[in-house]
Amino acid sequence: MESVFKKLSLTSATLILLLLTSIFVVLFIYAKPAIDEFGLKFLTDPRWGVTVQVDTPKVDKQVATTEQVTDEMAQNDNLQTEDLLLDDSSDNSDSLLTDDEDGSTANTKEVYGGFVPIVGTVLSTILAMLFAVPIAMGIAVFLSEIAHPLLAKPVGVAIELLAAIPSIIYGMWGLFYFGPLVSKYVGGQSVSLLVAGLVLGVMIIPFMASLTRDSMNTTPAVLKESAYAMGATKFEVIKDVIFPYAKQGIIGSIILALGRALGETMAVAFVIGGVFTFPKVVTDPTVSIPVVLANSFAESSGMSMSALFYLAVVLFVLSFAVISFAKFYFLRNKNEIFNK
Amino acid sequence: MRFLINKIVLGLSILAALIGLVFLFWILIDLTIKGVGAIDWHIFSNDLVNNGLRNLLIGQFMLALTAVVIGVPIGMIAGIYLQEYSYGSKYAEFIRNLSDVMMSAPSIVIGVFVYAIVVNPVGHANGWAGSIALAIMMIPIVVRTTDDMLGLVPKELREAGIALGAPKYKVIFDIIIKAAKVGITTGILLAFARIAGETAPLLFTSGNSQFFTMNMNQEFPSLTVAIYNLATMPDENLVKIAWAGAFILTVFVLLINLLGRYVIREKK
Amino acid sequence: MKNVMEIKDFYFTYPKAPKPTLKNINLNIEENKITALIGPSGCGKSTLLRSLNRIQDLYPGNKYDGEILLKINDKMENILEYKKENKLIELRQRVGMIFQKPTPFPMSIFDNVAYGLKFAGIKSKSEIEGRVEKALQGAALWSEVKDRLKESALGMSGGQQQRLCIARAIAVEPEVLLFDEPTSALDPISTAAIEELVVELKERVSIAIVTHNMQQASRISDYTAFMYLGDLVEFGETEQIFLNPKEKQTEDYITGRFG
Ligand SMILES: Nc1ncnc2c1ncn2[C@@H]1O[C@H](COP(=O)(O)OP(=O)(O)OP(=O)(O)O)[C@@H](O)[C@H]1O
Ligand SMILES: [Mg+2]
């Protein structure tokens, strides 16, 4: 019995390794056709589901020449890309349908590239961080150093509870209230990169603030007291004692929140626009990887499906890298921070 | 001068805190106004086909509950391994880190993964796929909680059990887990609240259904997926239902959180 | 004189430790007597005590050398040769242990005392009840708790909890009881009660006790072993050790002239 249970427990723990590996492997297998077809150029190709002419009739083995074909295509189409993009974005679902029909004819093929959603993901995350970091730091400092304990306790509880609100709620609020407001005062549409970034920022504020506050609270009281005893002001104590002491944990919290923003779907899906265009200005609509997955997955098949899996791989690797980075460089021995 | 800087910085910090809190309460207030306005008895007694939420509420609860049934035993036993049987080995430390990283994996990717391994072979979305996706999200949280909470139990308690001639697994189940019960329960409640409000992993796993069903082999009603679909509909009425659903979901999630974080913990 | 345990040329090394923590220990635990282990902090008293029921085997990688013999059915068995889980479980039923801090399990008073019984193969409800009552009486706790056996053990006072742990240990009727500083977390009154109890217990079991309290050792023990830096410096009758120590180190330690 004892040894049975011991083995069972080892198996369960190993299941985690197995799960994570199989997520990688399965996503990769499903993405394989797209990876073979587009290679790493996928990452920098802004075309999604664009039908292009294959004007090399002499070559009948397509597989062997895939690379050359895409290369040529890129050169030939460089000038037209801009137009294609605009056409495509104007009505995405329509072009997908026509693509399917065109796909059967011998001399055309569809090109998928992830550049737009990748850029959209990165930009919306950066916007979110620019907005959230100062506010979250302010809240954390307020809670751990400024507010009277009688106030800090309930406000802290409120912040923790807000961190637990499902992200789809943030998305809805963005769609119905915040987006129109931004559009009215800043301009642009009510769905845009800017709105998406800000909503994402609002969403991660409570998460980041409560983690940061927890890190700050690990500063031993004696350290603070001895600084105050030397006549330091509150700001000086925060700057010279608390920040240096809790630096690792604070940076870790910020990166962890960044990881959450990168992979967030629902807070963004309502408000980013979901169109495959480069945002020329920040108030233009665009798309992010999770949103592409959420919106197009159900209707996809074949190469478009595979391309979506390729995007999923990119997202997974990206967030895996970010989280591992936070974990190994900043949150070593400070594991409690993950327990939120 | 120093004092001026001090005042300015503290003022800015309070301002930032105010801005943050204003935003967050703004959301809650909007949600409450829209949500309360949209709630009536009709919503609870009808399914989505008849503009109600009944099947969605029950469906979402079922999905999350099934995920708990799958995820909690696996997560707890894995957590027990890490804390009780690994003796701080490198392998255990590795698994611990992986589990933490997995906790932050994008939920949509989990959905895509479960689509590939369950929905695609079966041929259509179904309740089990949804619950599996939620369970995968839940496992690392449960691992973490179990690991941490067992770690707080003094080692003398284990030794006292062993010194009475009890086998180790008995000591773990009869004594150690009981001693860590409050913490583990809290952790599981919070994990439950977290997955109950998830949308992204359900989009193409459970799908959604207009009708009441308990058959997990079919497309399964999901409140969150329904909210996502309804909120962008042109029909005012459907949007209203979405708000009602969003409000109920939030209240539910917050109540579970309160229960886990503050009620149970205070009782200890 | 009859020995229940004999420790012969015993060495103990913690995992990854460069040197053994216990070196060449030779010591007997006599039947129905109290043997006290004294010595400065870190000298290895707990380590020795924890070897006697191999509780340290909860953590892998320890190295034992030499012999520790335990009398089982009038034959001496070397407990260091036990490999199987079952053997170790049997050993711990014969050699019980009480810790420095009380360790009540998070269950009722009754269940605490009954906990070890089911592993000793006692199933019948009436027998369990009888044994629990007897053990609680043996631990001088029965009159205090007989009306609240179903209540959680966590609500008792520290001294009561420690006596509960003793009741729990004697319920399985061990031959040897090991005490590792059982009173160092208690107030003087509870300490006196436990001391009295330990002395009573030697009618039934053989006892080894680690203590930092010289008066306690001299009051209750029959034999005393003085350890220093992993060596057994001196072992003899308590009176002799305290009144007439042979070694200078022993004398320095018990007169408090020790660093
Ligand atoms: N798990 C362990 N791993 C490695 N070394 C250990 C371990 N436990 C104890 N030691 C070392 O073994 C030595 C003896 O420790 P032990 O606990 O037996 O001392 P002690 O005499 O009981 O001291 P005290 O009076 O403080 O309880 C000490 O030097 C200690 O640092
Ligand atoms: Mg000790």
Side-chain angles (χ1 to χ4, degrees), chain B residues 22-23 39 49 54 72 83 91 94 98 115 123 126 135 138 154 170 172 174 194 226 231 235 250 265:
Chain B
V22 162
F23 264 110
I39 287 179
V49 265
R54 186 183 67 141
V72 166
Q83 190 58 236
Y91 181 68
F94 174 64
L98 272 192
Y115 174 89
N126 59 80
M138 192 172 185
K170 274 283 185 190
I172 292 171
D174 294 346
R194 165 121 179 246
D235 183 346
T250 308
R265 214 170 271 179

Side-chain angles (χ1 to χ4, degrees), chain B residues 30-40 43 240-241 243-244 247:
Chain B
D30 285 344
L31 175 68
T32 311
I33 291 172
K34 281 280 188 183
V36 171
I39 287 179
D40 53 29
I43 278 179
K240 236 178 109 183
I241 298 178
W243 276 112
F247 180 70

Side-chain angles (χ1 to χ4, degrees), chain A residues 2 14 235-236 295 335, chain B residues 2 6 85 91 144 169 228:
Chain A
E2 174 64 30
T14 306
F235 167 62
E236 284 160 351
N295 290 344
N335 284 335
Chain B
R2 285 172 61 219
N6 183 45
Y85 283 109
Y91 181 68
R144 181 75 209 204
Y169 79 98
Y228 182 52

Side-chain angles (χ1 to χ4, degrees), chain C residues 14 21 40-47 56 181 212:
Chain C
Y14 278 110
T21 296
S41 211
C43 69
K45 305 178 296 291
S46 298
T47 308
Q56 193 60 35
E181 303 183 40
H212 276 287

Side-chain angles (χ1 to χ4, degrees), chain B residues 111-255:
Chain B
V112 170
F113 168 67
V114 174
Y115 174 89
I117 59 161
V118 182
V119 177
N120 201 34
V122 172
H124 56 85
N126 59 80
W128 291 114
S131 287
I132 291 172
L134 294 182
I136 293 178
M137 298 207 53
M138 192 172 185
I139 288 172
I141 312 180
V142 178
V143 170
R144 181 75 209 204
T145 314
T146 311
D147 188 15
D148 284 352
M149 293 304 145
L150 293 183
L152 294 179
V153 178
K155 74 178 196 323
E156 286 81 10
L157 215 53
R158 295 175 178 80
E159 294 180 352
I162 296 290
L164 283 174
K168 186 160 177 178
Y169 79 98
K170 274 283 185 190
V171 174
I172 292 171
F173 279 98
D174 294 346
I175 301 170
I176 311 302
I177 292 190
K178 258 200 194 138
K181 195 173 58 187
V182 173
I184 295 178
T185 313
T186 300
I188 291 176
L189 273 176
L190 296 187
F192 175 72
R194 165 121 179 246
I195 59 161
E198 277 292 344
T199 314
L202 295 177
L203 284 173
F204 15 88
T205 53
S206 71
N208 186 23
S209 163
Q210 306 243 311
F211 306 97
F212 181 86
T213 177
M214 282 285 163
N215 183 353
M216 303 262 295
N217 296 319
Q218 298 174 348
E219 293 216 6
F220 208 73
S222 154
L223 178 63
T224 48
V225 175
I227 293 174
Y228 182 52
N229 294 333
L230 294 176
T232 45
M233 294 276 179
D235 183 346
E236 274 295 305
N237 229 355
L238 295 180
V239 175
K240 236 178 109 183
I241 298 178
W243 276 112
F247 180 70
I248 296 170
L249 179 72
T250 308
V251 169
F252 178 76
V253 167
L254 290 186
L255 280 182

Side-chain angles (χ1 to χ4, degrees), chain B residues 29-83:
Chain B
I29 289 166
D30 285 344
L31 175 68
T32 311
I33 291 172
K34 281 280 188 183
V36 171
I39 287 179
D40 53 29
W41 179 242
H42 176 87
I43 278 179
F44 294 102
S45 56
N46 282 278
D47 296 334
L48 184 56
V49 265
N50 299 319
N51 291 350
L53 290 172
R54 186 183 67 141
N55 68 325
L56 302 176
L57 295 171
I58 297 174
Q60 186 83 10
F61 192 73
M62 280 278 290
L63 287 171
L65 207 63
T66 312
V68 168
V69 172
I70 303 171
V72 166
I74 297 177
M76 271 187 73
I77 295 177
I80 288 173
Y81 173 79
L82 295 182
Q83 190 58 236

